[in-house]
Amino acid sequence: MKRKNSNNTWLFTICIALIAVVFGFVSFIPVNIEFIKPFIVYFDPTKLLSNLPLWIFTNCIIALYSHSEKTSMLNTTLFNIVCFVSYSLFSMILTHTIPKDMFLTWILFILIWTIFSYLVWSANRQDTKGWILSTILLAILFSTCFTYTDNTISSTTILNFLLYVFLVVVLYKGTKETLIIVILSIILALILSKIKIHFLQRESQMRLFFI
C-alpha cells in the first residue's frame, strides 16, 4: 500500500472529517423514500451506528492509509469524535433529542481505537509483525461480520461480507501469504467465538445457581 506523503496529510485529514460528518447525517435519512427502499435489504442507514463491522473497517482503513503511527492515532480519533458530534447535532436539530445513552459507549470506542490504531498502522508491513497484526485485524472483523452456529458459518449481511473481503484486499501481501493469513484469522476468530460462547454459558449457569 502506498502511504500518504506529508504534502497530502492535511488533505487526507480534511477528507476524514467530511466523511465523519456524512456518516453522522446518513443515520437520519428517511428509509420510506421510494428509491431508497430497494437498498434497505443491503444497507439500512438508520442502523449505521450499530453496525460494528463498518466502524472497525472504516477505522482500519483510516489508520492503514495514514502517514505515520502518530497520524493514524490522530486521524481515527478525529473521525470518531467528529462523527459522534455531528450525529448528536443532527439528532438535536432533526429529532430534538440528545443521544445520552450512546455517550459512554462512544467514548470507550474512541479510547480503544486511539490506542489500537497505533498497531493497526503496522499491519501493512511485509514482515512477521505485519503478518501477526493482519491476522488479528481480520480475525476481529471476521468475528463481527460472520456468525458461527451449528458448525455453519454465515455472513450477517452482504455489506459485512464485502467489508471483510475489502480488508483482505487492502492487507494483500501476495497470494500464498494472504491465503495463510485469512485461514489463520478465521481459525482465531472461531476460537475466540468458542471461548465467548463458553464464557456466556458459564455466566448463565452461575446466575441460575445464585437464583
Side-chain angles (χ1 to χ4, degrees):
M1 177 192 301
K2 185 178 180 181
R3 301 286 189 186
K4 299 288 179 183
N5 58 50
S6 56
N7 295 328
N8 295 328
T9 299
W10 281 107
L11 180 60
F12 184 59
T13 302
I14 293 172
C15 290
I16 289 171
L18 292 175
I19 293 172
V21 173
V22 172
F23 268 46
F25 174 73
V26 167
S27 298
F28 297 96
I29 294 179
V31 294
N32 58 348
I33 300 176
E34 288 301 324
F35 70 87
I36 292 181
K37 286 182 179 180
F39 300 99
I40 298 300
V41 178
Y42 308 103
F43 175 66
D44 186 351
T46 61
K47 298 180 180 179
L48 178 67
L49 291 183
S50 61
N51 190 357
L52 184 58
L54 179 61
W55 291 107
I56 293 175
F57 173 81
T58 306
N59 277 275
C60 282
I61 295 299
I62 292 173
L64 288 168
Y65 279 96
S66 294
H67 179 64
S68 64
E69 292 97 328
K70 291 182 179 179
T71 54
S72 70
M73 295 173 66
L74 292 173
N75 286 336
T76 53
T77 303
L78 174 68
F79 172 78
N80 291 315
I81 290 176
V82 172
C83 188
F84 181 66
V85 171
S86 63
Y87 176 84
S88 299
L89 290 175
F90 284 125
S91 179
M92 291 172 61
I93 295 171
L94 299 175
T95 65
H96 306 291
T97 58
I98 301 176
K100 295 180 181 179
D101 55 326
M102 298 174 58
F103 184 76
L104 184 59
T105 302
W106 205 263
I107 291 297
L108 182 61
F109 185 81
I110 292 173
L111 291 175
I112 290 174
W113 269 100
T114 299
I115 300 171
F116 195 54
S117 58
Y118 188 89
L119 297 174
V120 172
W121 187 87
S122 299
N124 222 26
R125 294 171 51 166
Q126 299 297 325
D127 55 10
T128 304
K129 183 178 180 180
W131 275 52
I132 294 173
L133 291 174
S134 295
T135 302
I136 294 173
L137 274 183
L138 291 174
I140 293 173
L141 190 59
F142 185 92
S143 64
T144 58
C145 288
F146 298 86
T147 56
Y148 179 71
T149 55
D150 298 327
N151 298 321
T152 302
I153 300 175
S154 59
S155 174
T156 51
T157 65
I158 294 177
L159 173 63
N160 291 343
F161 171 77
L162 293 175
L163 292 178
Y164 181 80
V165 173
F166 288 156
L167 189 59
V168 171
V169 173
V170 170
L171 295 172
Y172 181 78
K173 304 179 187 302
T175 304
K176 181 180 178 181
E177 293 82 359
T178 303
L179 182 60
I180 294 174
I181 289 174
V182 169
I183 293 173
L184 290 176
S185 71
I186 294 174
I187 294 174
L188 178 59
L190 294 179
I191 292 173
L192 293 175
S193 177
K194 286 290 186 180
I195 293 174
K196 179 182 177 181
I197 293 173
H198 179 70
F199 176 78
L200 292 175
Q201 289 176 343
R202 288 292 299 273
E203 184 180 13
S204 177
Q205 291 174 355
M206 289 295 292
R207 288 179 179 177
L208 290 174
F209 176 77
F210 285 108
I211 290 175

